[in-house]
Amino acid sequence: MDKAATQQYTPADHLGTKFRRIFLAHFDRFCQVWDEKFGKTYGYYRKWAEQTIRDFLRCSDPRSGFGHLQCPDCNTSRLVPFTCKRKVCLTCGEKRKQAWVEWLFKEVIFNVRHRHWVFTVPLCIRWVFKKDRKLLGVLSHTAAAFLTECLKHSCGHGDATPGIVAVIQTAGDNLKHNPHIHILSTEGCLADDEKNHYYVAGFMDYDIMRVAWRDRILSVLVGKGAIDRNWAARLRKRYPKGFMLNGFIQDHRGNRNLMKRMASYIAKMPISEKRILSFDEKREKVLIRYKGPVKRRSKLPGHRVAVKNQLELLDPLEFIARVMQHIPDPGQQMIRYYGIYANAARGKRKKMKQLGAPEVVEADFEERSTYRRNWRRLIWKIFGADPLLCPRCGVKMRMRKVYTMKSEIDEFLHEHRARLPALLGATRPPPLPVAAAA
């Protein structure tokens, strides 16, 4: 941990966030009216998603368990409530994302030029991925296999393999269902030989790739029975230039923070607190901000541009429905690794100790077993403050006891109910999400 990080940590006021207040005020009513109002649009009701939300609403609640810290010098005590560790929670999701970015650059990413790809599907077939969520994995596998073939062909070496990190995202900017794949891939391919030759890819024609991507994903969906051949033929005529995909070169060798910010972006949460502009409890309206395509006057028919500040006024129940549709099913992997970044390939390189060329990026943080679950260091990384510093004298506090049993929790909270606000400490508004720092 950075020695300069001596600022004392003030916990966030989770109950004061607009995101959490929306769920606290309307989630019970939302569960009662799902079939009537949202079943036709959003599909069947998922009990797992409901349990995830209820766990999120108990996040940082001392009644769910806490750790008791005490200063060895002045005996000042502080309680640290347990967090929910759910992906829908903005605070826990941010910590999870930061830990993943660190692990990615410690264990996976090579010190070579990378490219950020986005693979999309048109609006008219997005519903098939909502109907069958297993097709999201198929979409990821298809995009990775397609990109692998393109990179191999561009390198001119069929036996070489690229490194691919694919992130499945299901949310558009306005929280509507928009399945797409973000990919971080090496700019070239690594040969499977003793010298570990790395071949840089040449020119790649995006126009040809878009048409080929259209044909590939439609063929896969037809093979899975998600769509029929006649519909696939109509889609080929409707989209003669193919389905949209883009590739952006990201060279992190000169600026490592650039790639970390990009990795943080592709794994971002569907919504952030700063995009919820207001929540009017009396009128029951939620105002969100997003980037979206709008029509403008142009000589080109249907020409669209992205506008930064678009506003949408939502009913709280509609807002909750949009958020819940992006909660993954149990065990569903939203981040996948292919090629030389696959788990098997990484394990093989470690076992054989073949990390010659290209070399893995050198990390400036602790070992994997430490940084993955080090709550103190993640708090420092996100908020720039040390949660273990005593608020009175600044000395590092020690963990006195961890309370997990309900009887012990209730007894402690009842005994110290008068000084409970002092034990929990002062709170502050939650910070805005930040990109990964160096």
Side-chain angles (χ1 to χ4, degrees):
M1 185 178 297
D2 195 339
K3 296 180 180 180
T6 58
Q7 180 183 354
Q8 294 179 357
Y9 171 64
T10 303
D13 181 13
H14 295 286
L15 294 177
T17 62
K18 296 183 288 292
F19 183 75
R20 182 162 181 166
R21 286 194 290 114
I22 294 170
F23 281 89
L24 283 173
H26 298 281
F27 186 64
D28 289 335
R29 183 161 63 95
F30 169 82
C31 295
Q32 298 173 1
V33 302
W34 171 272
D35 293 335
E36 178 184 350
K37 289 190 174 183
F38 305 105
K40 184 177 180 180
T41 304
Y42 294 97
Y44 64 93
Y45 187 73
R46 296 186 297 152
K47 294 293 293 183
W48 164 258
E50 178 187 347
Q51 184 60 44
T52 299
I53 296 297
R54 298 201 181 279
D55 291 343
F56 153 65
L57 294 178
R58 292 192 295 267
C59 184
S60 299
D61 187 342
R63 292 173 295 182
S64 299
F66 54 86
H68 184 192
L69 298 175
Q70 190 172 46
C71 178
D73 288 1
C74 63
N75 293 327
T76 300
S77 295
R78 171 172 285 185
L79 303 185
V80 182
F82 296 157
T83 56
C84 64
K85 299 178 179 61
R86 296 300 185 185
K87 295 180 181 179
V88 71
C89 178
L90 300 185
T91 302
C92 296
E94 181 69 17
K95 289 189 290 186
R96 179 193 295 268
K97 182 179 68 175
Q98 296 292 347
W100 175 75
V101 171
E102 288 192 1
W103 172 81
L104 187 70
F105 281 83
K106 171 69 175 180
E107 300 285 345
V108 181
I109 295 295
F110 283 5
N111 189 22
V112 296
R113 178 178 293 182
H114 282 68
R115 184 174 294 197
H116 171 216
W117 299 86
V118 182
F119 289 80
T120 68
V121 293
L123 178 64
C124 55
I125 61 172
R126 292 174 186 172
W127 67 271
V128 301
F129 298 96
K130 182 188 296 186
K131 182 180 178 181
D132 185 0
R133 292 178 177 268
K134 294 182 180 179
L135 290 177
L136 293 172
V138 175
L139 181 66
S140 174
H141 292 323
T142 305
F146 174 78
L147 183 58
T148 298
E149 295 178 9
C150 293
L151 289 172
K152 285 185 175 182
H153 182 269
S154 180
C155 291
H157 294 272
D159 57 344
T161 307
I164 291 176
V165 180
V167 180
I168 303 172
Q169 289 285 6
T170 60
D173 287 329
N174 58 353
L175 283 176
K176 290 185 177 180
H177 188 67
N178 180 16
H180 57 283
I181 307 296
H182 287 279
I183 287 181
L184 279 180
S185 75
T186 55
E187 182 67 9
C189 298
L190 181 68
D192 187 13
D193 54 28
E194 296 180 355
K195 296 184 179 181
N196 283 344
H197 284 138
Y198 182 77
Y199 303 99
V200 179
F203 172 74
M204 304 179 73
D205 192 328
Y206 286 179
D207 293 335
I208 296 178
M209 290 181 65
R210 292 185 181 109
V211 175
W213 165 243
R214 177 203 64 189
D215 295 338
R216 175 66 63 87
I217 189 61
L218 289 179
S219 299
V220 171
L221 292 178
V222 170
K224 294 291 183 179
I227 60 176
D228 56 37
R229 296 183 181 275
N230 294 331
W231 190 14
R234 292 196 299 269
L235 288 174
R236 289 187 176 93
K237 294 181 179 179
R238 183 175 178 179
Y239 296 94
K241 295 184 178 180
F243 294 165
M244 182 56 63
L245 67 84
N246 281 310
F248 312 94
I249 296 178
Q250 302 291 338
D251 188 356
H252 76 281
R253 292 176 298 175
N255 186 355
R256 192 162 171 228
N257 290 338
L258 177 64
M259 275 293 292
K260 282 195 172 185
R261 287 195 295 270
M262 179 56 63
S264 181
Y265 166 76
I266 67 175
K268 67 179 182 179
M269 303 286 290
I271 188 69
S272 64
E273 182 70 15
K274 68 178 181 180
R275 288 173 53 197
I276 306 175
L277 300 184
S278 66
F279 170 44
D280 191 335
E281 298 186 23
K282 294 183 179 180
R283 297 176 54 200
E284 296 188 350
K285 294 296 181 181
V286 179
L287 182 64
I288 64 172
R289 174 177 58 84
Y290 68 97
K291 298 178 183 178
V294 296
K295 293 183 178 180
R296 70 174 185 180
R297 294 181 180 179
S298 173
K299 295 181 179 179
L300 299 177
H303 183 69
R304 292 174 178 266
V305 293
V307 176
K308 291 185 177 179
N309 296 319
Q310 285 204 66
L311 305 179
E312 186 173 2
L313 195 62
L314 297 175
D315 178 82
L317 301 183
E318 174 66 23
F319 176 85
I320 294 175
R322 290 190 185 185
V323 172
M324 284 189 63
Q325 68 176 333
H326 305 301
I327 298 177
D329 289 337
Q332 186 176 21
Q333 299 296 325
M334 305 302 286
I335 303 178
R336 301 165 186 248
Y337 309 89
Y338 304 92
I340 58 176
Y341 288 166
N343 297 338
R346 296 200 311 269
K348 180 180 178 181
R349 288 196 301 272
K350 284 185 178 181
K351 184 176 180 180
M352 301 180 66
K353 296 182 180 180
Q354 293 180 346
L355 293 176
E359 296 180 353
V360 176
V361 174
E362 293 294 335
D364 54 357
F365 30 77
E366 303 172 13
E367 294 298 325
R368 177 178 181 181
S369 59
T370 303
Y371 68 71
R372 286 195 68 182
R373 302 191 178 184
N374 192 326
W375 164 78
R376 180 191 181 194
R377 193 192 47 75
L378 284 176
I379 291 293
W380 164 79
K381 185 173 182 64
I382 298 172
F383 304 112
D386 189 347
L388 294 186
L389 290 185
C390 175
R392 179 175 298 178
C393 63
V395 176
K396 179 182 176 181
M397 305 179 76
R398 297 176 181 175
M399 184 65 70
R400 183 177 178 180
K401 186 178 180 180
V402 177
Y403 291 82
T404 57
M405 296 183 62
K406 190 177 186 307
S407 58
E408 293 182 345
I409 294 172
D410 294 340
E411 180 182 355
F412 183 94
L413 294 180
H414 179 74
E415 181 180 353
H416 299 86
R417 61 186 181 278
R419 53 192 294 257
L420 190 59
L423 290 174
L424 293 174
T427 58
R428 52 159 175 78
L432 300 179
V434 296

